[in-house]
C-alpha cells in the first residue's frame, strides 16, 4: 500500500532530474525542480499521444530518452550554478515547506481532484484513441475536458505502469505543486540581492508560505490552482521584479510554460505576463520574444482540445453570458463577485496596497539601488488577472452564488501571491542600506553583507 507512492515519488525525481540539473547546474536545487520538469515531460508525452496515437508508456519512454539526450548535450556547454543553489540553501527551502506539506497525509477526498484531474489522468493513462474519445464525450462536460493536462499528466504517467491509486495520485500532484512553490522561494531570494541574508530569506519563505493562505488544502490535495499560481508568481518575480529580467531566463520560461499547460486561468495569466515583459524589455524585443513560447505551448493545447471536441460547462452553458443579461442582473453579479473577493482576500490586498503606496511615496528612489524594478509591473500583472477574473464571473453561465462559493478561494491564490511579492519588495527596500545591489553569488559562496557581521541563514 505504501510502497507504490514511494516508488512513484522516486521515479518522478529521477525522470526530471537531468534537465533540472542542466537548468540550475546544482544537484541540490535540481531535486526540488525535478518534479516540475517531470510533469512537463509527461505533458509533452500526453500531447504526442493525442496527436499521433499509441499507448502512453511508449511516448513516455521516447520523451524521457529525448530529455536525457538533450540534458547530456546541454551539459557539454559551459555553465555555472544558479545563485543560492547550494545544499544549505536547498535544505532551508525544503525545511520551510515541510510542515505544510504534511497535509498530504489527509485522505484524498477533494471532489475536483477526482472529477477533473484524476479523471483526466485515468483516460490519459490508456492510449491516444481512448483519450480523444473521452475528451470529446458529452458525458464528461462537467469535467472541463478542455483543461490543459499538466496537473494530470504525471499521475497518468504513473498510472500507466502501476495499479491506479488515489494516494499515489495525491502524492505526485503535491510534489509537483511543492516544486513550483520551492522555485518561487528560490527566485524571490535570488532577486533580493541588495539586502541582508536574514531579511531576504525571511521574505522569500514568507512569500512561499502565502501559497497556503487562500486555499490551504489545495496544495496537497491534487488541485491545480496553487501550482499554476506559484508558477506565474515565480515568473513575475524573475521577469518583472528583478533588475535584469533576461539574464537567466530558463527557469522563468519553464514556470510560464507550466502555468500555461496547467489550467485555462494559467494560460490567461501567462499572456498577461508575456505582454508586460514585452513592454518592459521592448528595447530587446528579440530576446523578450522568448516569453511568448510558453503562450504558444498553451495555444497548441487549446487547438488540440478543440479538435478533439473538448467542452466546458463555462463555455457551453445554457445562459447566453453577459450579452443576454440585463443591467440589473449584471450589477447584481458584480456586487456579489466583489463582496466574495473582499471577504476572501480584501483585507490582505488592501493592506499590501497601503504598503505599496507608502513605499512609492517615500522609498521609490531606493528600489533600483538594491536591484529591484518598479513595483508597478507587479501590480499591473495583478490588476490584469483580477480584471479577467471579475469579467469571467460576470460573463459565465453558472449560478453566481454557487460559483463563487466553490471557486473564489482557489482562483485568488495568484492575487495573494503577487500582493505578497509586492510587499516583500518594499520591505526589502526599507531594510536595505541603499547601496547598489551586488552581483549574484554562486552556490554557497558568501555575500559581502555576510562579511559585515550578518551570518547567512542558509549557510549556518
Amino acid at each position: 500500500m505504501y510502497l507504490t507512492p514511494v516508488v512513484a515519488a522516486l521515479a518522478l525525481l529521477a525522470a526530471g532530474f537531468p534537465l533540472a540539473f542542466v537548468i540550475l547546474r546544482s544537484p541540490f536545487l535540481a531535486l526540488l525542480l525535478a518534479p516540475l520538469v517531470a510533469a512537463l515531460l509527461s505533458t509533452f508525452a500526453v500531447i504526442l499521444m493525442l496527436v499521433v496515437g499509441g499507448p502512453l508508456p511508449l511516448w513516455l519512454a521516447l520523451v524521457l530518452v529525448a530529455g536525457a539526450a538533450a540534458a547530456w548535450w546541454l551539459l557539454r556547454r559551459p555553465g555555472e550554478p544558479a545563485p543560492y543553489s547550494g545544499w544549505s540553501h536547498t535544505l532551508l527551502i525544503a525545511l520551510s515547506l515541510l510542515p505544510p506539506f504534511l497535509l498530504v497525509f489527509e485522505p484524498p477526498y477533494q471532489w475536483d481532484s477526482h472529477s477533473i484531474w484524476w479523471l483526466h489522468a485515468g483516460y490519459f493513462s490508456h492510449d491516444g484513441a481512448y483519450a480523444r474519445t473521452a475528451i470529446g464525450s458529452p458525458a464528461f462536460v462537467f469535467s472541463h475536458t478542455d483543461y490543459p493536462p499538466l496537473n494530470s499528466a504525471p499521475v497518468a504517467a504513473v498510472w500507466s505502469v502501476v495499479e491506479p491509486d488515489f494516494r499515489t495520485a495525491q502524492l505526485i500532484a503535491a510534489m509537483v505543486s511543492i516544486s513550483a512553490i520551492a522555485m518561487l522561494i528560490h527566485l524571490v531570494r535570488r532577486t533580493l540581492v541588495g539586502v541582508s541574508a536574514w531579511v531576504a530569506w525571511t521574505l522569500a519563505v514568507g512569500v512561499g508560505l502565502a501559497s497556503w493562505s487562500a486555499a490551504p488544502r489545495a496544495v496537497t490535495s491534487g488541485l491545480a490552482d496553487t501550482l499554476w499560481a506559484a508558477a506565474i508568481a515565480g515568473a513575475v518575480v524573475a521577469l518583472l521584479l528583478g533588475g535584469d529580467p533576461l539574464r537567466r531566463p530558463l527557469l522563468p520560461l519553464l514556470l510560464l510554460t507550466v502555468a500555461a499547460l496547467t489550467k485555462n486561468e494559467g494560460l490567461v495569466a501567462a499572456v498577461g505576463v508575456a505582454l508586460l515583459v514585452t513592454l518592459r524589455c521592448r528595447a530587446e524585443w528579440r530576446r523578450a520574444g522568448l516569453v511568448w513560447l510558453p503562450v504558444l505551448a498553451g495555444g497548441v493545447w487549446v487547438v488540440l482540445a478543440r479538435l478533439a471536441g473538448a467542452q466546458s460547462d463555462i463555455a457551453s452553458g445554457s445562459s447566453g453570458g453577459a450579452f443576454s443579461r440585463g443591467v440589473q442582473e449584471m450589477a447584481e453579479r458584480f456586487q456579489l463577485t466583489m463582496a466574495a473577493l473582499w471577504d476572501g482576500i480584501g483585507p490582505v490586498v488592501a493592506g499590501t496596497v497601503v504598503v505599496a503606496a507608502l513605499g512609492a511615496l517615500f522609498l521609490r528612489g531606493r528600489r533600483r539601488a538594491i536591484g529591484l524594478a518598479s513595483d508597478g509591473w507587479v501590480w499591473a500583472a495583478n490588476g490584469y488577472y483580477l480584471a479577467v477574473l471579475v469579467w469571467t464571473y460576470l460573463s459565465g453561465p453558472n449560478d453566481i452564488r454557487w460559483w463563487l462559493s466553490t471557486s473564489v478561494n482557489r482562483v485568488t491564490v495568484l492575487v495573494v501571491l503577487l500582493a505578497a511579492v509586492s510587499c516583500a519588495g518594499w520591505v526589502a527596500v526599507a531594510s536595505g542600506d541603499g547601496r547598489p545591489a551586488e552581483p549574484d553569488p554562486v552556490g554557497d559562496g558568501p555575500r559581502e553583507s555576510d562579511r559585515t557581521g550578518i551570518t547567512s541563514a542558509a549557510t549556518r
Side-chain angles (χ1 to χ4, degrees):
M1 177 179 178
Y2 296 104
L3 183 60
T4 300
V6 172
V7 172
L10 294 176
L12 195 71
L13 293 174
F17 183 82
L19 282 175
F21 178 76
V22 168
I23 293 172
L24 298 171
R25 298 299 175 103
S26 162
F28 311 108
L29 197 60
L31 287 173
L32 296 183
L33 178 59
L36 212 55
V37 175
L40 198 56
L41 292 174
S42 302
T43 300
F44 292 152
V46 165
I47 290 175
L48 289 170
M49 179 192 70
L50 291 173
V51 173
V52 182
L56 181 59
L58 170 64
W59 290 108
L60 281 171
L62 293 175
V63 167
L64 290 177
V65 169
W72 175 81
W73 181 77
L74 290 170
L75 279 175
R76 300 174 64 187
R77 305 180 66 182
E80 63 179 16
Y84 307 105
S85 60
W87 69 268
S88 52
H89 305 128
T90 303
L91 184 62
L92 180 60
I93 296 173
L95 289 178
S96 68
L97 295 178
L98 179 60
F101 180 73
L102 295 178
L103 288 173
V104 75
F105 291 107
E106 288 190 338
Y109 62 86
Q110 289 282 348
W111 166 251
D112 279 3
S113 299
H114 287 274
S115 65
I116 300 177
W117 307 112
W118 297 341
L119 176 59
H120 296 186
Y123 57 67
F124 286 150
S125 65
H126 289 77
D127 55 41
Y130 189 99
R132 285 194 298 270
T133 300
I135 289 174
S137 172
F140 289 158
V141 170
F142 73 92
S143 184
H144 299 273
T145 53
D146 62 327
Y147 276 179
L150 190 137
N151 194 45
S152 302
V155 177
V158 172
W159 282 0
S160 67
V161 294
V162 301
E163 187 71 22
D165 173 72
F166 293 130
R167 278 291 188 185
T168 302
Q170 186 176 25
L171 177 60
I172 294 298
M175 288 178 64
V176 175
S177 294
I178 289 291
S179 180
I181 298 170
M183 291 304 103
L184 171 60
I185 294 175
H186 166 69
L187 286 169
V188 173
R189 176 63 188 98
R190 198 161 101 179
T191 302
L192 301 181
V193 295
V195 297
S196 74
W198 275 110
V199 171
W201 276 113
T202 300
L203 293 174
V205 170
V207 170
L209 293 179
S211 302
W212 279 265
S213 58
R217 284 176 168 76
V219 182
T220 56
S221 61
L223 302 179
D225 305 277
T226 306
L227 167 59
W228 73 260
I232 287 290
V236 167
V237 169
L239 299 173
L240 295 175
L241 184 66
D244 187 359
L246 302 178
R247 182 180 178 188
R248 297 175 180 268
L250 279 181
L251 181 55
L253 289 177
L254 182 145
L255 293 176
L256 274 182
T257 306
V258 165
L261 289 173
T262 297
K263 205 175 179 187
N264 294 341
E265 293 97 315
L267 176 57
V268 171
V271 170
V273 174
L275 285 169
L276 291 172
V277 173
T278 303
L279 181 61
R280 183 188 177 192
C281 304
R282 55 192 177 277
E284 300 180 81
W285 62 270
R286 290 185 178 179
R287 291 179 65 199
L290 292 174
V291 298
W292 291 98
L293 293 178
V295 176
L296 178 62
V300 167
W301 170 258
V302 171
V303 173
L304 180 59
R306 292 295 178 266
L307 290 176
Q311 301 180 62
S312 168
D313 61 349
I314 293 179
S316 59
S318 59
S319 170
F323 297 105
S324 69
R325 297 190 175 105
V327 174
Q328 183 176 353
E329 184 178 355
M330 287 292 288
E332 182 182 4
R333 290 180 75 93
F334 179 77
Q335 291 172 0
L336 291 171
T337 299
M338 298 308 294
L341 290 173
W342 177 260
D343 290 342
I345 61 171
V348 172
V349 174
T352 54
V353 167
V354 171
V355 171
L358 292 174
L361 282 175
F362 300 106
L363 300 171
R364 185 177 178 182
R366 300 177 61 178
R367 285 187 68 91
R368 192 168 298 277
I370 69 166
L372 297 182
S374 170
D375 188 49
W377 294 112
V378 177
W379 283 106
N382 216 350
Y384 162 84
Y385 176 69
L386 267 173
V388 172
L389 182 62
V390 170
W391 174 251
T392 302
Y393 280 123
L394 293 181
S395 61
N398 295 325
D399 175 78
I400 189 63
R401 289 181 173 82
W402 170 84
W403 199 4
L404 289 168
S405 66
T406 57
S407 67
V408 74
N409 62 324
R410 293 182 289 105
V411 298
T412 52
V413 173
L414 177 61
V415 181
V416 173
L417 286 179
L418 291 182
V421 166
S422 170
C423 189
W426 285 117
V427 172
V429 172
S431 64
D433 56 13
R435 292 183 299 179
E438 302 162 16
D440 287 343
V442 175
D444 276 322
R447 298 170 60 247
E448 185 64 30
S449 59
D450 295 335
R451 301 190 191 103
T452 63
I454 302 175
T455 304
S456 170
T459 57
R460 249 184 152 15

